[in-house]
Structure formats: structure tokens, C-alpha cells
């Protein structure tokens, strides 16, 4: 189990899970968002592709321009935070 997926197991309905995905790391980001969603967290996918797998598992999707070009490095990230004020 990767770190992001392990982190997602601690989420609940008071949490937000945000996955930023590019093709190279998409599998881990999908697993993170799916686990967070299954545990009740609200999920947001940020991706460059309208029909990407992360779009299918997230509650909300933010589409970005890919900006692909020479010398660009693609990464994938997953973030989680608790929305409570405590």
C-alpha cells in the first residue's frame, strides 16, 4: 500500500481528498481518491484529461490545460485535509 492510499484510510465525511493526476502516476491517485470517497470524504480530481480515470472516481473535477512540451516533468500528487474547525 502506498503512502497516499494509507493516508486515505484515515479520512471520513469531514475530510476532503484532492488528487492531482498526470498519466504517469494516475493509478496511485485513482486508488487514493477511490479509498477516500469510499470512506465518506469529498473528493476533487485535478487533471488534464476530460475522460481520465480520476474523473470517474471523484465527486468534482477541475480540468487544466496540459501545457505539454519539451522539458516538462509530469508528476502525480494526492492531498487530504480535515475540514473540521477543531
Amino acid at each position: 500500500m502506498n503512502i497516499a492510499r494509507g493516508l486515505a484510510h484515515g479520512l471520513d465525511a469531514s475530510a476532503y481528498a484532492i488528487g492531482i493526476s498526470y498519466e504517469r502516476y494516475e493509478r496511485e491517485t485513482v486508488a487514493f481518491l477511490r479509498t477516500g470517497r469510499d470512506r465518506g470524504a469529498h473528493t476533487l480530481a485535478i487533471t488534464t484529461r476530460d475522460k481520465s480515470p480520476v474523473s470517474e472516481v471523484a465527486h468534482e473535477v477541475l480540468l487544466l490545460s496540459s501545457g505539454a512540451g519539451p522539458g516538462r516533468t509530469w508528476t502525480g500528487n494526492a492531498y487530504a485535509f480535515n475540514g473540521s474547525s477543531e
Side-chain angles (χ1 to χ4, degrees):
M1 179 181 302
N2 66 36
I3 294 171
R5 196 161 175 200
L7 176 65
H9 281 283
L11 300 177
D12 59 23
S14 69
Y16 296 88
I18 302 170
I20 303 171
S21 181
Y22 298 98
E23 293 177 43
R24 187 171 155 195
Y25 296 99
E26 194 162 55
R27 184 178 303 143
E28 292 88 356
T29 307
V30 168
F32 167 77
L33 288 174
R34 181 177 289 125
T35 301
R37 184 197 62 202
D38 291 348
R39 299 199 46 85
H42 189 80
T43 55
L44 169 68
I46 301 174
T47 183
T48 58
R49 294 181 300 139
D50 184 27
K51 305 277 187 213
S52 72
V54 294
S55 300
E56 301 298 319
V57 298
H59 292 108
E60 305 290 337
V61 177
L62 176 61
L63 265 178
L64 301 177
S65 172
S66 67
R72 297 275 171 101
T73 302
W74 299 106
T75 60
N77 297 293
Y79 302 95
F81 59 93
N82 187 318
S84 71
S85 59
E86 296 177 16

